[in-house]
Amino acid sequence: MNPYGNLSTQHSSWSVLLVVYNLPPWLCMKRKYIMLSMMISGPRQPGNDIDVYLSPLIKDLRKLWDEGVLVFEGFHKETFQMRAMLFCTINDFLAYGNLSGYSVKGHHACPICEEDTSYIQLKHGRKTVYTRHRRFLKHHHPYRRLKKAFNGSQEHETVRIPLTGEQVF
Ligand SMILES: [Zn+2]
């Protein structure tokens, strides 16, 4: 996020929010149950140094998973051993790269397609652009036949089955 709005487009601060997810859906997205666990101030993005910032959080989450912590429950007026786990992360593609260690740049940037990642290099900007996304649609999806709205050709190929976690390593 950029705390300065559009005053400084270069500034990048990263916030790490924890959401208590075992609450009813109408409560878990309320501000009260979303914790700002850390704020990594800019002006530059932390990149892979995010590990240094996340280390204490991971340590706490490990403790919450392995042994838990004793917590007072006000309604029944008693204590209980509270455990917690990291259920999922929501982040942009850049942060995904930093968190997972997967390369999200270059010719194999897609973690699903890997070597089959379809890209073209723009002639003048020399940017890498990722293409052929209609192959992820259902076989008879009408978009697969559209030419004009896309790159002038139909797309009938299918995607390969994504690798399992063990196959990636
Ligand atoms: Zn892909």
Side-chain angles (χ1 to χ4, degrees):
M1 57 168 270
N2 180 356
Y4 302 109
N6 43 17
L7 288 175
S8 163
T9 49
Q10 293 296 303
H11 195 100
S12 174
S13 288
W14 287 31
S15 51
V16 178
L17 303 162
L18 290 178
V19 180
V20 180
Y21 226 68
N22 65 337
L23 289 169
W26 58 91
L27 283 180
C28 72
M29 286 299 143
K30 291 271 192 258
R31 195 172 165 177
K32 194 165 141 179
Y33 300 106
I34 299 176
M35 294 172 273
L36 178 65
S37 69
M38 91 180 60
M39 186 77 198
I40 305 168
S41 63
R44 288 207 205 112
Q45 58 200 7
N48 287 332
D49 291 344
I50 198 168
D51 293 353
V52 178
Y53 295 99
L54 290 179
S55 167
L57 176 65
I58 290 167
K59 198 178 151 205
D60 286 350
L61 286 170
R62 274 207 160 139
K63 188 187 174 169
L64 282 166
W65 174 250
D66 291 335
E67 46 194 284
V69 288
L70 208 59
V71 172
F72 181 73
E73 197 255 291
F75 187 74
H76 293 105
K77 299 205 180 340
E78 57 188 27
T79 56
F80 72 101
Q81 197 74 9
M82 183 188 75
R83 288 172 188 271
M85 65 178 275
L86 183 65
F87 167 62
C88 68
T89 63
I90 301 171
N91 39 258
D92 64 7
F93 200 52
L94 187 67
Y96 171 84
N98 296 134
L99 292 171
S100 68
Y102 190 88
S103 170
V104 291
K105 291 167 185 158
H107 296 166
H108 295 164
C110 177
I112 308 293
C113 305
E114 295 215 304
E115 300 96 57
D116 290 341
T117 300
S118 175
Y119 65 91
I120 51 168
Q121 200 91 37
L122 294 181
K123 242 181 219 161
H124 302 291
R126 295 181 60 201
K127 256 188 171 178
T128 306
V129 181
Y130 303 98
T131 57
R132 291 177 22 233
H133 295 100
R134 284 178 287 164
R135 58 192 169 145
F136 290 96
L137 297 171
K138 283 184 180 153
H139 194 66
H140 295 290
H141 196 285
Y143 280 13
R144 282 179 172 267
R145 292 191 307 275
L146 294 180
K147 289 182 179 177
K148 220 173 164 185
F150 294 94
N151 59 354
S153 65
Q154 295 189 348
E155 212 171 299
H156 295 291
E157 61 192 309
T158 51
V159 280
R160 70 173 194 183
I161 299 161
L163 298 176
T164 64
E166 284 164 355
Q167 286 170 322
V168 170
F169 291 106

